[in-house]
Amino acid sequence: MDYLIAARDLTEQMLRHFWDAQDGGFFTVADDVEQLILRQKDIYDGAIPSANAVACYNLLRLSRIFGSSEYEAKAASVIRAFSQQIRLHPAAHTMMMIAQDFAVGPSAEVVIVGREDDREAQLMLAAVNKRYLPNVVVLFKPEDSRGSLVDGLCGFTKDLKPRAGSAIAYVCRNNVCNAPTGDVDEMISLLQ
């Protein structure tokens, strides 16, 4: 669960030090370093995706994980800030187009609840991971005390309980979950 805490903390630092509150989007350089004549914003995808596009995509995914409307609003603001440039040259902004696709959906969250050493939990995780599901966020909630850590960070998981003796999967859209299933095939069909 340390990775969830780190993701939240790093995202908050990114928003605090790189966010352009006036025009939206992220500066390339933080606000707590040597003052520059100009703080630029990177939007064009070159050999690697632009920092703003990656930040936007990550904010969208994290908004689904944490149930954070603030992260989703920031991502929408990034897309709006650069929409004119994207419209003029969409091929130069492919990562931002991927983020936009994730934003408009459909997207889903899969929460698998169980023991880490449970065979069913491993089969469920493997079934999701072996498919190309770019608009699906997967979260594992362990049955032990770390599950309450997940609940503290990802509020929508609080009511997602394990099934006695075996792992269970909840397929959710917009943080509203379907009835749980212990069947891998049913879980996959709910995603499609």
Side-chain angles (χ1 to χ4, degrees), residues 61-192:
R61 292 183 68 79
L62 290 170
S63 75
R64 301 307 196 284
I65 291 170
F66 295 125
S68 171
S69 58
E70 177 193 349
Y71 290 175
E72 189 152 4
K74 291 287 189 193
S77 179
V78 172
I79 293 169
R80 276 194 309 277
F82 301 110
S83 62
Q84 192 68 4
Q85 290 172 277
I86 296 166
R87 236 180 261 126
L88 290 173
H89 305 286
H93 303 92
T94 53
M95 187 65 198
M96 192 65 81
M97 302 288 281
I98 291 168
Q100 175 67 17
D101 179 62
F102 187 86
V104 298
S107 64
E109 304 86 35
V110 176
V111 182
I112 298 171
V113 184
R115 292 183 333 274
E116 284 186 75
D117 62 349
D118 182 62
R119 184 176 183 282
E120 288 299 314
Q122 295 305 316
L123 288 172
M124 289 176 179
L125 287 168
V128 173
N129 289 331
K130 76 177 185 181
R131 287 170 172 76
Y132 179 68
L133 301 167
N135 292 354
V136 173
V137 174
V138 181
L139 190 59
F140 181 77
K141 179 180 169 183
E143 278 187 42
D144 60 25
S145 61
R146 293 172 301 153
S148 61
L149 277 172
V150 172
D151 290 341
L153 293 166
C154 313
F156 77 99
T157 65
K158 285 181 180 153
D159 295 328
L160 307 183
K161 304 296 182 200
R163 182 176 60 180
S166 187
I168 196 160
Y170 294 83
V171 176
C172 315
R173 298 198 189 281
N174 301 316
N175 298 323
V176 176
C177 300
N178 291 325
T181 181
D183 182 45
V184 174
D185 293 331
E186 184 180 352
M187 176 190 70
I188 295 300
S189 71
L190 288 169
L191 287 170
Q192 298 173 343

Side-chain angles (χ1 to χ4, degrees), residues 4-15:
L4 289 173
I5 295 168
R8 185 202 56 207
D9 292 348
L10 289 170
T11 301
E12 292 299 322
Q13 287 180 37
M14 177 184 71
L15 291 169

